[in-house]
Amino acid sequence: MMVKMKGFAMLGIGKTGWIEKDVPDCGPLDAIVKPLAVSPCTSDVHTVWEGAIGERTDMILGHESVGEVVEVGSLVKGFKPGDRVIVPAITPDWSALESQGGYSMHSGGMLAGWKFSNFKDGVFGEYFHVNEADGNLALLPEGIDIADAVMLADMVPTGFHGVELADVQYGDSVCVIGIGPVGLMSVAGAALRGASNLFAVGSRPNCIEIAKEYGATDIINYHEADIVTQVMEKTHGQGVDKVIIAGGDNDTFIQAIQMVKPGGRIGNVNYLGEGEYVRIPRAEWGCGMGHKTVAGGLMPGGRLRMEKLASLMVTGRLDTSKLLTHKFNGIDKIEDALMLMKDKPKDLIKPVVIL
Ligand SMILES: [Zn+2]
């Protein structure tokens, strides 16, 4: 294999550029993967331009990819060079105590299952390293377009995790706050889980259209009126059974508590980048006794979960192609795709780069 490779990197807070690095070494349990398609994420923008995870120097960016295995360690059983794989954004250490406790995403410390473009180089290079290949890679099924499949790395599992955190059940009325790519996947996931009335909070026309296609029954446009007022009107003052937060800010929890019924659950998958506290409204929280649960979580990774999610695409139950508004070809276009994510033109949902 080549010894040197290029990658698109964070040079420091607010600075990006192409750099050259050694191709990473493959440990006995690990794999080296060549990306076939990648997608920049809002998290990459937070990392570089908001310094969300602190200073990083010459760190290759990116955590959403599908790729081809080029090398596996001597102890890897389930993968071999040439396999096409989905690479989840979260790649836990499966032997960690946190993983044994059911929280693989926090293996080694809170949120430490997130390694790509955080604790090590990400996927925006010619090659990248995957720890514990047997646990963290998933075979890409035949017949799925690789651009569509990149959405399995983060958008699908994160959006669906919001649905899991909110514990959506058959017939639940559900409100999804935020219909960017993650929120749209929460809409799709809630519909698959059997939501009845499915409210989607957003304003951009293309996202509204796609939310309806994924199963939203009502659109709540926050430019038109207060979203809690709208949800309460549409539910005859009852509120909803479940809320999924996939956008907004720290104060969105106030609205979520206000619109969820007693006994309801709020699942948050939105990244809260600033501020010291999240406020909970006392009276609407039943003066502390309303049985309104707030659960926030980073998506789990794992081969089993990723292959199950991929099977939803194989069987035609989930179509991620609606998210892909901008497609690029060639590794050099990673920079353009990331800048698009940073500038967020109105028609953007997700860019993807085919390498
Ligand atoms: Zn992402």
Side-chain angles (χ1 to χ4, degrees), residues 39-44 62-64 89 114 153-155 158 182 299 350:
S39 180
C41 180
T42 309
S43 309
D44 294 307
H63 56 262
E64 299 184 17
W114 173 30
D154 188 358
M155 299 299 99
T158 297
V182 168
M299 70 137 179
K350 269 298 256 191

